[in-house]
Amino acid sequence: MEQIGYLTPLTHQPSSPVTYYLSLGEESITLNDMLGETIQLTFLGEKSCCFCGRKIKKTYNNGYCYPCFTSLAQNDLCIVKPELCHYHSGTCRDQAFGEKHCHQAHYVYLALSSDVKVGITRKENAIRRWINQGAIAAVPIMEVPYRKMAGDVEILLAKHLKDKTNWRKMLKNEYTETDLLQVKQRVIPLIPEEYRSYLLPDQSIQQFTYPSLQVPSKIIPLNLDKKPSIKGELIGIKAQYLLFKNGEVVNIRKHTGYKVSFHY
Ligand SMILES: [Zn+2]
């Protein structure tokens, strides 16, 4: 079978293992069913902005045209640097976006994907976020009323913990078994008094497993601009990556807006 359409990030359900879907505009494809099968993903040479739909040569920030990249609130610098969130100064690029995404309860969390990292997320988006990062375990440690405060705490904790995922290690499933609640106890003294009232009581740790037939020994990241077609046996899906038997991996979110055909 074949479907043609513009790539959008993989969607998923937090089942065990996580169920992944690829949607190319028609009905979505359950990727878990393709494990062990040969699939082919081919870039057809056309790209379109995931927000306004205009045809473009190059995408910015995973799928946007340049005007959308420079004008939309979701592409502002404060999205990657939440401590710079300026919603409260009334200068957000889009008040409605700020209301919905930033002036909302946020978690500061600990997650294990490659190493233990600290991160923040909108509370209601937490599970989606952890799966998109390929976390195998995660636990929220604080709930704060808005994004900037979460960013301020993250900055403090990131002096002592990583705040990025080593994606190669994550894809190879290389990690050190760690009790996140013990790490929490270790970082509590690092949280300034003024934020302590936002600490959550210990919660059960969320665990995630991902569809996988085998773990790749080498990782070859694939860029559809450089190699427009990949055909091979699908051996795993993790975070936003499809993993092929020959070691090639493709980050679907990175290719948002690329028109592709998908054979399966
Ligand atoms: Zn656009």
Side-chain angles (χ1 to χ4, degrees), residues 155-205:
I155 287 278
L156 293 168
L157 294 183
K159 290 180 188 151
H160 307 274
L161 291 168
K162 301 205 163 150
D163 60 349
K164 298 222 163 36
T165 300
N166 178 327
W167 62 271
R168 283 177 190 271
K169 280 173 77 178
M170 179 274 290
L171 289 178
K172 289 181 170 178
N173 209 24
E174 289 175 0
Y175 61 92
T176 311
E177 197 68 61
T178 312
D179 181 347
L180 293 179
L181 291 175
Q182 274 179 16
V183 179
K184 177 187 174 187
Q185 291 310 315
R186 224 174 59 219
V187 300
I188 287 177
L190 307 170
I191 298 171
E193 198 61 46
E194 55 182 307
Y195 296 121
R196 297 250 175 109
S197 59
Y198 298 105
L199 277 162
L200 290 165
D202 280 4
Q203 308 211 344
S204 55
I205 292 174

Side-chain angles (χ1 to χ4, degrees), residues 106-108 140-144 153 191 195-196 198-200:
H106 274 66
Y107 280 151
V108 178
I141 60 169
M142 291 172 85
E143 180 177 337
V144 300
V153 175
I191 298 171
Y195 296 121
R196 297 250 175 109
Y198 298 105
L199 277 162
L200 290 165

